[in-house]
């Protein structure tokens, strides 16, 4: 995640090697954080106020939501949509890291700027994330829909989801939420790369290079960078999730209130479940 560095010992990473490393990192990370991601999506799609002091909706706290999902849907619910999520992580990591290595190398060879400055990492990181977003947006939409559905399932598997969405909503539905995603992903990824570089420089002793800190330093720097960048751009992620489940309200009615257009038609069984839940 350091980009092209002509001063680094040994041969620099090729875009292909960076893509492989990014894919592997994304795959492992996705498997570990999937339960938290499912809970996050459920919170994002709930209209009611989220507070343990005034519990209005189905989910109102982290541990309460975890217990509720586990009790009603089983342990496997925390990995709902894991296949499209893994495909998303692998593809996104490959495109983003390969693009980042390529762009920083272009900056080094074709401009007077130092490819290892935090400012260059901000711009190149944002552009690389935008390119990955355009490529992977359909997988992100599928992952969100799977994580949003409860039991009984609306989509039985990945093939069923793709065919159903294409037939009932059209191909463009896979790109729902692309605009706020692009608006958010540039500063998010740019800040992530920016703060990662800054943290590594701050935490590395003056007598050593920034690449000599090992994996622990990279973990600490990456965690801090991700936390700051996600906090700043989080509202756009919320907009994206709400747009991605547009037309999917029937599957979410059992979780609480849903925003329906005036001419929307909801199946009677969904209304019955909603009324019983209340």
């Amino acid at each position: 995640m350091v980009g092209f560095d002509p001063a680094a010992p040994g041969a620099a990473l090729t875009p292909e090697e960076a893509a492989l490393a990014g894919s592997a990192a994304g795959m492992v990370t996705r498997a570990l954080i999937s339960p938290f991601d499912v809970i996050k999506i459920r919170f994002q799609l709930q209209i009611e106020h989220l507070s343990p002091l005034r519990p209005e909706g189905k989910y109102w706290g982290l541990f309460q939501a975890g217990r509720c999902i586990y009790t009603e849907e089983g342990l496997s619910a925390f990995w709902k949509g894991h296949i499209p999520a893994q495909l998303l992580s692998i593809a996104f990591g490959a495109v983003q890291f390969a693009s980042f290595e390529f762009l920083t190398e272009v900056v080094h060879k074709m401009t007077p700027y130092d490819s290892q400055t935090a400012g260059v990492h901000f711009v190149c990181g944002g552009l690389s994330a935008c390119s990955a977003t355009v490529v992977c947006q359909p997988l992100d939409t599928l992952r969100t829909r799977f994580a949003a559905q409860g039991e009984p399932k609306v989509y039985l598997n990945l093939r069923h989801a793709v065919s159903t969405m294409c037939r009932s909503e059209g191909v463009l539905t896979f790109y729902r939420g692309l605009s706020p995603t692009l608006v958010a992903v540039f500063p998010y990824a740019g800040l992530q790369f920016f703060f990662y570089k800054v943290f590594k420089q701050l935490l590395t002793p003056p007598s050593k290079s920034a690449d000599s800190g090992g994996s622990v330093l990279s973990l600490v720097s990456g965690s801090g960078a991700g936390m700051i960048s996600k906090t700043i751009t989080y509202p756009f992620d919320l907009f994206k999730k709400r747009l991605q489940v547009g037309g999917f309200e029937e599957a979410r009615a059992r979780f609480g209130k849903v925003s329906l257009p005036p001419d929307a038609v909801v199946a009677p069984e969904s209304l019955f479940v909603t009324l019983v839940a209340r």
Side-chain angles (χ1 to χ4, degrees):
M1 200 173 176
V2 296
F4 179 78
D5 185 3
L13 283 178
T14 64
E16 292 78 13
E17 291 172 332
L20 180 61
S23 297
M27 181 175 62
V28 174
T29 303
R30 175 67 64 178
L32 295 176
I33 69 167
S34 181
F36 297 103
D37 199 32
V38 169
I39 293 175
K40 182 200 75 170
I41 291 174
R42 296 287 179 92
F43 280 146
Q44 287 177 322
L45 300 180
Q46 182 169 286
I47 297 176
E48 294 90 344
H49 186 66
L50 301 177
S51 172
L53 301 178
R54 291 191 300 133
E56 301 173 4
K58 185 178 181 68
Y59 307 120
W60 42 262
L62 179 61
F63 295 106
Q64 179 270 341
R67 289 195 304 269
C68 186
I69 294 173
Y70 175 76
T71 301
E72 296 180 354
E73 304 172 49
L75 184 63
S76 62
F78 293 104
W79 281 269
K80 278 189 174 181
H82 191 58
I83 293 177
Q86 280 291 15
L87 294 175
L88 169 65
S89 297
I90 293 171
F92 195 96
V95 176
Q96 182 182 28
F97 279 77
S99 301
F100 185 71
E101 289 291 327
F102 172 76
L103 290 172
T104 50
E105 184 175 1
V106 169
V107 168
H108 171 73
K109 294 181 177 179
M110 301 184 65
T111 72
Y113 297 102
D114 181 1
S115 63
Q116 285 297 294
T117 61
V120 169
H121 278 212
F122 174 82
V123 176
C124 292
L127 291 175
S128 64
C130 286
S131 62
T133 296
V134 173
V135 173
C136 303
Q137 182 69 10
L139 292 171
D140 193 11
T141 301
L142 285 167
R143 189 275 181 280
T144 300
R145 294 255 181 140
F146 274 108
Q149 70 176 356
E151 299 290 342
K153 296 177 180 178
V154 176
Y155 303 135
L156 304 179
N157 51 49
L158 185 59
R159 181 179 179 180
H160 179 241
V162 172
S163 62
T164 302
M165 292 171 66
C166 286
R167 184 175 61 254
S168 61
E169 302 176 61
V171 176
L172 291 181
T173 194
F174 293 102
Y175 286 90
R176 283 179 179 267
L178 180 60
S179 296
T181 304
L182 290 175
V183 171
V185 77
F186 185 94
Y188 168 69
L191 290 170
Q192 192 173 26
F193 281 97
F194 175 87
F195 283 113
Y196 177 81
K197 185 65 179 178
V198 169
F199 287 151
K200 287 204 74 172
Q201 291 175 340
L202 290 175
L203 297 175
T204 302
S207 59
K208 297 182 179 179
S209 67
D211 294 325
S212 62
S215 56
V216 175
L217 177 59
S218 296
L219 176 63
V220 173
S221 301
S223 299
M227 182 174 62
I228 294 174
S229 56
K230 175 61 75 174
T231 301
I232 294 174
T233 61
Y234 186 80
F236 292 100
D237 189 49
L238 175 63
F239 301 157
K240 176 186 73 173
K241 291 295 189 293
R242 295 286 179 92
L243 289 171
Q244 285 177 327
V245 296
F248 196 55
E249 284 79 10
E250 181 179 342
R252 300 191 297 113
R254 61 182 55 85
F255 294 138
K257 297 179 182 178
V258 292
S259 296
L260 289 173
D263 58 346
V265 177
V266 179
E269 60 269 20
S270 296
L271 294 175
F272 174 77
V273 172
T274 305
L275 290 173
V276 171
R278 294 177 181 176

